[in-house]
Each structure stands twice: as C-alpha cells, then as structure tokens.
Amino acid sequence: MMFDKKFPLVTFIDTQESLNQLVEQLKQSNMIALDTEFVRTRTYYAQLGLIQVYNGDVLALIDPVSGINLTEFWGLLKNENILKVLHSASEDLEVFAHYGDVMPTPYFDSQIGAGFAKMGHGLGYANLVHQLLGIELDKGESRTDWIKRPLSDKQLTYAANDVFYLYHLFPMLKQKLEEFGRWDWALEESANMCQGRLDAIDYDNAYLKVKNGFQLSQIQLAYLKPIAKWRLKTAVKKDIAVGFIIKDHALIALAKSKATTFAQLSSVKELNEHEKRKFSKHLLSNLQNADLENLPQKIDVIAFRPDYKQSFKTVKSKLVSIAENNEVPIEIFASKKYIHDFLSWYWSDNKGNNPKLLVGWRGMLALSTLSSLEL
C-alpha cells in the first residue's frame, strides 16, 4: 500500500493557556493516539519528559518539564467518549498512575491488538508501522534524555512519529480484529493491564516481594517485615529505586541475623560500609521493633511441591494446544504467572477469585479443558 497522509504541523505545548486550548480541542475527539517519553535510571518513579497526543487534526507535544498544571489533561484520559490508543503501554500506564492518578478509559493497546490479529507477539512499534503502513521509522533518538532542554527538531519529530502513525494504523488494525472477532478481546486485555495500578502502595506487605524471602522462618520474616517496609517508604519518599538503597540479599541477611545491636549489625557482611554508615540507625530501630508476638505466615511456595513441575507441564501442554488451535500467542494467552496462579487456586480448593485463565476471553477458550483436569 502507499501511505500518503500529510504530516501535520506539530504544536509544542509549554504554557497553561496553550494546554487548556488543546484539552478543549481534544474533548471533541472520538479517538486519540497517545504516548509518553520518560527517563528512568536510579529513580523509583519514571521522570516524565514529554506527552504526545494526536486526534487526526491536532498533533501536540506537551512539555511537563515546563511546570504546567496537567490536571485538565489527566481528566481527559477518563473521558469515556474518547478511545485512548497506545502501543506497548505498560510503562506509560505507570506514568499516568503516578503523575495523574488516572488510567486511560477506554483504552486500546496496539501491541496487544497485533497479537490477537495474528501479526506476532510483542510486536515493536516500528515493525507494526512497517507491516501496516509500509513506512520505515528512524528509531535513532530512542536513547534521548527527554528531561534535558531544549529538545532538537530531530527529537521532536521522533516523538511526533509515535502518535502520527499510530493514529493512522489504528483503523486497519481494528478492521483485522473485527474480521477475526477479537476486537472485544483486545479491549478486555488492554483493560486488564490497568488493573491494580491505582491501588495504594502496600508497604506492610513489601517483605513478600523481597527475593528469596521464602527461605526464612516465621521469626526471621518478622524481622524482615519492618526493614522491607522502611526500605520501600524510603524509596518512595526519596524517589530512589529500592535496589539503590539496600539490595534484597542484604535485607535477607539482616533478617537472618536478627541484629538488634550495632555490633551485630556491623557483622552482617552483606551490608557494605556505606550502607552501615548511612542506614544503621534506621535499620536497628526497625529490627528492634519487630513484632515477635504476631509472626507472619511462612511464605508458601507451591513451586516446591513435588508434583508442581509435572502439573505445570500438564496444564501448559493443554493451553499450548488451545493457543495453537486458535492462533493466539501462548505468551498472551497463558504466561507462566497465569499458570502458576491457576495451580495456586486449584490447590487451595478453589478459594478466592477465579484465576485469569478461567475468566473473560481466556475462559471462553480454556474453561472446559481446565475444569476437567485432575492434578
């Protein structure tokens, strides 16, 4: 095919007045293509550098670094009358949650859509543009420091491309999905990506995400719990990735040591000297306040069950067959996590919410097969 759409004038939005005007224009849209550019190195949260949006008439690059108030724009993302189209948007959703406390609704992810449209799993944006529009994109600016100003014309063009072509390929992708009867599947799976992202941070259960916590006894977990909570709170407050405060293996060593004095803490070799100097008081305070009267439950790792590997293999084999018969990428249909969650649910005598494999479009394909299994 020959793509002949003229590239529109790009508007750089860095004043409150221009942003307010843009939002009013976008409110009249049925669909907008959306993207963000950000930087993430040592920070807990991604640093938002640019927001790109295109509704077929107006292509705007919004500059959050300028300090403009984005409240009205975030409100636009909740407008039920406007479909928000993004590509591979997991990290964009993190940005929306942190900066706007919002999820785009309704929302369509073109990478998910491409998978359902039998174009391939995990398809990159440039590949999708090439397949549908025949355009070769220059991705040379993908490592740009989007916080630094001014941005070059080449960088701005790169950013604008991400929504210009997305807007124009969307109708073609939607048509493919409708022909396959999978448009609703793509919307459902896109919505699944948004689930839980606006939940409050669960500081109390931070210890459950510390690697190898399952190795610890209940008493050791009681010591791990307060220091994991302190680390996460510190990371959020200082906007530093948790691993750049204290590594997981050091937290595990501290919990095993049950250190409650400076001498005991100093003997924990997994803590480096910088960490000991900077954090000893905080760590000791939390370790000394470990609640030994109400011990956490030992972390149950079902993967250690003697029948886990064979059961996992059995379930996966059934699901691979279903995925192949329906030409759905197994990576979308049944990730390792989804199979693991199904087995956890199955062995808990079906307690709690039904696992993902039994609901929605997945349930339509897999429910009868999985319901008949005996593991």
Side-chain angles (χ1 to χ4, degrees), residues 79-252:
N79 189 319
E80 295 282 350
N81 297 317
I82 305 172
L83 177 66
K84 275 66 68 173
V85 178
L86 296 98
H87 183 84
S88 185
S90 181
E91 291 184 295
D92 301 290
L93 297 179
E94 284 185 41
V95 166
F96 299 151
H98 174 56
Y99 289 94
D101 192 28
V102 65
M103 283 291 103
T105 309
Y107 150 59
F108 169 79
D109 192 302
S110 56
Q111 187 177 72
I112 290 172
F116 284 131
K118 308 179 185 181
M119 298 176 67
H121 170 66
L123 204 64
Y125 178 65
N127 197 338
L128 182 62
V129 170
H130 179 66
Q131 286 196 39
L132 289 178
L133 302 179
I135 301 291
E136 294 282 354
L137 289 182
D138 177 9
K139 303 300 286 183
E141 301 299 324
S142 59
R143 295 189 179 276
T144 287
D145 180 354
W146 294 102
I147 304 300
K148 186 178 180 181
R149 295 294 184 268
L151 295 169
S152 69
D153 289 344
K154 190 174 182 181
Q155 290 166 337
L156 296 174
T157 298
Y158 167 90
N161 283 343
D162 282 347
V163 288
F164 175 68
Y165 295 111
L166 181 59
Y167 180 90
H168 288 295
L169 66 80
F170 167 73
M172 303 169 69
L173 185 53
K174 182 180 181 184
Q175 182 179 351
K176 282 178 175 285
L177 288 164
E178 288 176 336
E179 288 172 358
F180 291 129
R182 296 178 176 182
W183 169 246
D184 288 340
W185 292 15
L187 288 178
E188 178 189 325
E189 194 62 16
S190 298
N192 282 343
M193 289 182 65
C194 299
Q195 290 182 356
R197 291 183 182 271
L198 298 181
D199 293 348
I201 297 175
D202 188 358
Y203 294 107
D204 287 333
N205 286 316
Y207 75 103
L208 295 174
K209 294 187 177 181
V210 177
K211 186 178 180 181
N212 293 326
F214 66 88
Q215 297 175 348
L216 303 185
S217 67
Q218 286 181 266
I219 290 177
Q220 290 168 338
L221 285 171
Y223 284 100
L224 177 65
K225 189 172 181 178
I227 56 177
K229 180 178 180 178
W230 163 81
R231 182 181 67 165
L232 181 55
K233 281 192 167 184
T234 303
V236 172
K237 182 179 179 180
K238 295 182 178 294
D239 194 16
I240 300 173
V242 291
F244 288 108
I245 297 174
I246 293 179
K247 304 288 187 188
D248 280 5
H249 73 278
L251 289 187
I252 294 293

Side-chain angles (χ1 to χ4, degrees), residues 29-61:
S29 311
N30 295 318
M31 182 271 279
I32 57 175
L34 190 61
D35 191 28
T36 68
E37 304 295 348
F38 51 85
V39 176
R40 177 179 246 147
T41 49
R42 296 172 60 94
T43 56
Y44 184 83
Y45 295 109
Q47 295 176 281
L48 180 58
L50 203 66
I51 303 170
Q52 305 101 287
V53 60
Y54 181 47
N55 70 346
D57 294 315
V58 180
L59 200 164
L61 306 180

